[in-house]
Amino acid sequence: MDLSTTYLGLNLRTPIVPSAAAPLSEDIDNVKRLEDAGAAAVVLHSLFEEQLLREKFELHHHLEYGTNSFAEALSYFPEPDEYHVGPELYLEHIRQAKECTNIPIIASLNGFSSGGWVEYAQLMQQAGADAIELNVYYVPTDFDLTGEQVEQNYLNTLREVKAEVSIPVALKVSPYFSNMANMAKQFCDAGADGLVLFNRFLQPDINPEELIVEPGSVLSSPHDMRLPMRWIAILYGRINADLACSSGVQRGHDAIKMLMAGAKVTQVCSALLRHGFNYIKVMEDEMKHWMEEHEYESVKQMQGSMSQLHCDDESAYERAQYMKTITSYKLGHSLV
């Protein structure tokens, strides 16, 4: 039974890849445990644009502090490494992860705006990262910012990161574009080697007792996989980029569905937080059992087999299911 796949030019033992969640990968021992449990690769937790910019400002403060005291102050600037304000810990984390494992390590760079922070992509490559997942998590709230400007910022950020590195770059995005199909094409034209679908925006909640705004539910459910599955099925074979799912995969059967839609890998997080790292083996065994029962010899044999490109009814991934659901409801329920 061949579960192997390729993603971003990397040869992976299986399609099951732990995603960029801090509890999974912020500790080197956890990265090793994930490999031992069967992870085909690991996406490390993110290094954030805000973190890099804050550290840059702190460094600037230290370099400038005291220079107005007397002219000779310019000659005793401190060395930057005295303050440890750069992303040294994250880069060291990449190095250690590469040294202690034999699986691909994918670094995660999280940001939106253009700027000098994207230069850290090159440092990630130098530290040994096999690929970079550029995670663009952005909620535009400026009433004067047009949709076209938002889309252009995505493209500019992607191009700047690609200009810094020679390793593959996967772009993790939200589904909230006026035309996701067109944006996927533009992302590929701008150099994306892969698309990770989708960012699951964590919606805030209101606590009426404490009168505060607080985080809502964090862990995903199987229902969350429907949206990425639709778009992976629509995009498969029509864009020149590998596709990965990052929402809602809880079981081996869920991974099978995503592969049939056209995914190269299925990223998992909530399932591992619920059941532990060894749950990877449970998912893998479920996949093997299903493949044996349905006479599939390899993952590659099923990838994209249920995509829109290979579906008898192309509208099944568009309005057809909406119409079928409405009709089914009217026939099976009395309306009040």
Side-chain angles (χ1 to χ4, degrees):
M1 195 70 62
D2 184 7
L3 296 184
S4 67
T5 186
T6 59
Y7 176 60
L8 304 180
L10 305 170
N11 295 318
L12 306 184
R13 189 183 64 83
T14 77
I16 302 174
V17 175
S19 65
L24 297 182
S25 63
E26 65 182 357
D27 185 272
I28 287 297
D29 287 338
N30 281 351
V31 177
K32 291 189 289 187
R33 288 174 58 205
L34 286 168
E35 180 187 29
D36 293 340
V42 172
V43 184
L44 298 182
H45 59 289
S46 291
L47 184 62
F48 290 89
E49 173 184 350
E50 293 85 351
Q51 174 187 353
L52 296 170
L53 293 178
R54 182 177 66 248
E55 290 170 341
K56 179 180 178 180
F57 291 144
E58 288 178 357
L59 175 60
H60 178 76
H61 166 74
H62 287 301
L63 293 177
E64 295 293 329
Y65 183 78
T67 57
N68 293 327
S69 301
F70 48 89
E72 289 81 358
L74 293 174
S75 65
Y76 61 80
F77 274 2
E79 291 297 322
D81 59 0
E82 292 179 13
Y83 299 104
H84 303 287
V85 295
E88 292 87 358
L89 291 178
Y90 190 91
L91 299 176
E92 181 59 26
H93 195 67
I94 295 174
R95 295 186 190 99
Q96 291 181 15
K98 287 299 297 178
E99 288 175 1
C100 70
T101 66
N102 294 306
I103 56 176
I105 299 297
I106 302 173
S108 177
L109 190 58
N110 191 312
F112 173 72
S113 64
S114 298
W117 65 274
V118 301
E119 297 173 1
Y120 289 99
Q122 187 177 92
L123 297 178
M124 291 175 170
Q125 176 175 321
Q126 293 171 356
D130 296 286
I132 291 176
E133 184 173 284
L134 176 58
N135 188 338
V136 183
Y137 186 111
Y138 178 64
V139 181
T141 57
D142 184 343
F143 287 86
D144 296 319
L145 190 65
T146 67
E148 183 179 4
Q149 290 173 310
V150 172
E151 293 170 357
Q152 193 58 53
N153 280 341
Y154 273 78
L155 294 168
N156 291 342
T157 303
L158 171 61
R159 289 192 182 102
E160 289 189 19
V161 170
K162 282 290 295 183
E164 294 292 331
V165 298
S166 58
I167 57 176
V169 175
L171 183 65
K172 186 173 184 179
V173 296
S174 81
Y176 303 122
F177 296 100
S178 58
N179 186 348
M180 182 63 213
N182 177 262
M183 284 309 302
K185 180 178 181 297
Q186 289 195 64
F187 292 144
C188 292
D189 292 343
D193 300 286
L195 294 180
V196 183
L197 308 181
F198 287 111
N199 254 325
R200 190 168 63 91
F201 285 179
L202 303 180
Q203 307 300 340
D205 197 5
I206 292 177
N207 185 325
E209 303 299 326
E210 302 292 334
L211 299 181
I212 57 173
V213 178
E214 58 188 13
S217 176
V218 174
L219 299 184
S220 66
S221 69
H223 179 74
D224 294 315
M225 67 182 279
R226 296 290 184 86
L227 181 60
M229 183 169 64
R230 161 182 275 181
W231 278 105
I232 287 172
I234 291 172
L235 295 176
Y236 175 81
R238 293 189 168 108
I239 61 171
N240 188 28
D242 290 343
L243 298 168
C245 166
S246 72
S247 299
V249 174
Q250 307 292 318
R251 303 171 56 215
H253 286 177
D254 297 337
I256 293 286
K257 291 180 183 180
M258 284 299 178
L259 294 168
M260 286 185 158
K264 287 294 190 75
V265 298
T266 59
Q267 295 188 3
V268 291
C269 174
S270 296
L272 302 185
L273 293 177
R274 286 189 176 102
H275 306 295
F277 294 168
N278 289 329
Y279 190 68
I280 294 175
K281 182 65 165 56
V282 175
M283 296 179 66
E284 185 178 322
D285 288 343
E286 281 186 4
M287 292 179 64
K288 288 180 178 178
H289 178 74
W290 186 93
M291 291 171 65
E292 182 177 359
E293 184 177 344
H294 293 80
E295 300 182 346
Y296 280 87
E297 296 179 357
S298 69
V299 159
K300 294 180 178 66
Q301 187 180 352
M302 72 176 71
Q303 281 175 331
S305 61
M306 289 297 294
S307 66
Q308 188 180 49
L309 197 63
H310 295 139
C311 189
D312 292 336
D313 180 11
E314 290 191 4
S315 66
Y317 287 108
E318 298 175 11
R319 283 178 57 86
Q321 297 307 318
Y322 173 79
M323 301 305 296
K324 288 179 181 178
T325 300
I326 296 299
T327 302
S328 174
Y329 183 86
K330 288 182 178 179
L331 293 176
H333 300 77
S334 60
L335 300 178
V336 178

